[in-house]
């Protein structure tokens, strides 16, 4: 089997800044907002806003690296050639 035929399994939960980490942060934000029983939700939601900002900044910092699997991307790629993650 050559390198192009190898199957790669990625545990997206363990990929720092991966697509599931950002999705999970958005879900936590929505849940906290919806279930919040506070008059001014902003102070309670600020840590989630910060977390989402950090995740997105980490993804933007390395545009040549796939946020899904961490493999290098070809310049101008719309999808990762390794895992198929939609980059743009």
């Amino acid at each position: 089997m050559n390198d192009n035929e190898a199957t790669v399994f990625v545990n997206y939960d363990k990929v720092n800044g991966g697509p599931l980490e950002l999705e999970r942060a958005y879900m936590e934000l929505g849940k906290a907002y919806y279930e919040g029983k506070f008059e001014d939700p902003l102070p309670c939601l600020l840590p989630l806003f910060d977390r989402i900002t950090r995740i997105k900044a980490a993804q933007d910092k390395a545009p040549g690296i796939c946020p899904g699997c961490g493999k290098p991307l070809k310049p101008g790629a719309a999808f990762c050639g390794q895992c198929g993650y939609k980059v743009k």
Side-chain angles (χ1 to χ4, degrees):
M1 178 180 338
N2 66 34
D3 290 339
N4 293 337
E5 296 174 349
T7 301
V8 175
F9 296 98
V10 177
N11 186 344
Y12 287 108
D13 291 333
K14 301 210 182 256
V15 176
N16 189 20
L20 291 183
E21 184 180 359
L22 183 59
E23 188 68 26
R24 194 175 302 117
Y26 280 131
M27 289 179 66
E28 288 177 28
L29 175 64
K31 182 178 178 183
Y33 182 79
Y34 180 78
E35 292 180 350
K37 301 199 176 16
F38 28 76
E39 289 183 28
D40 185 12
L42 188 58
C44 296
L45 300 178
L46 284 176
L48 288 168
F49 293 153
D50 292 340
R51 181 174 161 207
I52 290 169
T53 302
R54 279 193 312 274
I55 294 169
K56 290 180 76 62
Q59 289 177 349
D60 292 342
K61 189 182 288 185
I65 303 295
C66 174
C69 69
K71 298 290 182 184
L73 295 171
K74 292 183 179 178
F79 294 90
C80 174
Q82 188 70 29
C83 71
Y85 183 83
K86 184 176 180 183
V87 179
K88 294 181 181 178

